[in-house]
Amino acid sequence: MAVKTAEAGLEERWRDILSVHARTMCEIDRVLHPHGLGASDFEVLDILAAATPVQGEQCRVQNLVGRVHLSQSALSRLIGRLEKDGLLERSVCAEDRRGVYVALTPKGRDLHAEVLPLQRAALARMLSR
């Protein structure tokens, strides 16, 4: 019986984590939607802003794969949308043609700076409960 109780507690904690994650992602989506972004879009912009603090610096897409909770193909599509919206630029690595770099554009940096307080406020609201 103790095993069942421990397993039930573990399962309940896991479901609580998933619930907090889902509610938080929905809230971030809600506050960023008027700015044309979703939570995953913001994550990529935020990681790039932190990894490349100077305009023109680049980050290898492969370095984003482990930090963004998307499959490689979903991340590639997201990067394509952000590029189409003028928020980042892609370039091919000269030394390794398979490698792809991304860099925030000035428009991407400006939008990130504009919505950063909204995303952080949403996190504070959702995670302080």
Side-chain angles (χ1 to χ4, degrees), residues 7 10-12 17 21 23 33-34 45 47 50 66 76-77 80-81 85 107-108 114 127:
E7 285 179 7
L10 186 62
E11 185 177 316
E12 184 178 337
I17 290 168
H21 177 266
R23 287 192 316 267
H33 185 286
L45 296 180
I47 291 168
S76 182
R77 288 189 302 274
R81 281 194 319 273
D85 293 342
K107 179 181 175 182
E114 179 183 339
L127 301 179

Side-chain angles (χ1 to χ4, degrees), residues 2-21:
V3 171
K4 290 237 182 230
T5 304
E7 285 179 7
L10 186 62
E11 185 177 316
E12 184 178 337
R13 285 198 322 261
W14 172 242
R15 290 213 166 85
D16 287 345
I17 290 168
L18 292 175
S19 179
V20 168
H21 177 266

Side-chain angles (χ1 to χ4, degrees), residues 82-96:
L82 295 175
E83 182 180 36
K84 183 177 159 222
D85 293 342
L87 302 175
L88 58 79
E89 299 171 319
R90 265 192 281 203
S91 60
V92 176
C93 176
E95 298 82 37
D96 176 5

Side-chain angles (χ1 to χ4, degrees), residues 5-109:
T5 304
E7 285 179 7
L10 186 62
E11 185 177 316
E12 184 178 337
R13 285 198 322 261
W14 172 242
R15 290 213 166 85
D16 287 345
I17 290 168
L18 292 175
S19 179
V20 168
H21 177 266
R23 287 192 316 267
T24 303
M25 291 296 281
C26 286
E27 177 64 7
I28 292 170
D29 280 338
R30 185 188 68 74
V31 300
L32 297 181
H33 185 286
H35 301 274
L37 295 175
S40 295
D41 302 327
F42 177 83
E43 279 302 308
V44 169
L45 296 180
D46 198 42
I47 291 168
L48 285 174
T52 60
V54 175
Q55 181 63 43
E57 284 186 315
Q58 298 179 315
C59 178
R60 197 165 175 148
V61 170
Q62 193 60 36
N63 295 341
L64 297 174
V65 171
R67 300 189 63 201
V68 177
H69 300 287
L70 297 171
S71 67
Q72 191 161 359
S73 62
L75 176 60
S76 182
R77 288 189 302 274
L78 187 147
I79 287 171
R81 281 194 319 273
L82 295 175
E83 182 180 36
K84 183 177 159 222
D85 293 342
L87 302 175
L88 58 79
E89 299 171 319
R90 265 192 281 203
S91 60
V92 176
C93 176
E95 298 82 37
D96 176 5
R97 304 283 300 163
R98 294 170 296 172
V100 177
Y101 286 99
V102 289
L104 288 174
T105 63
K107 179 181 175 182
R109 283 191 188 281

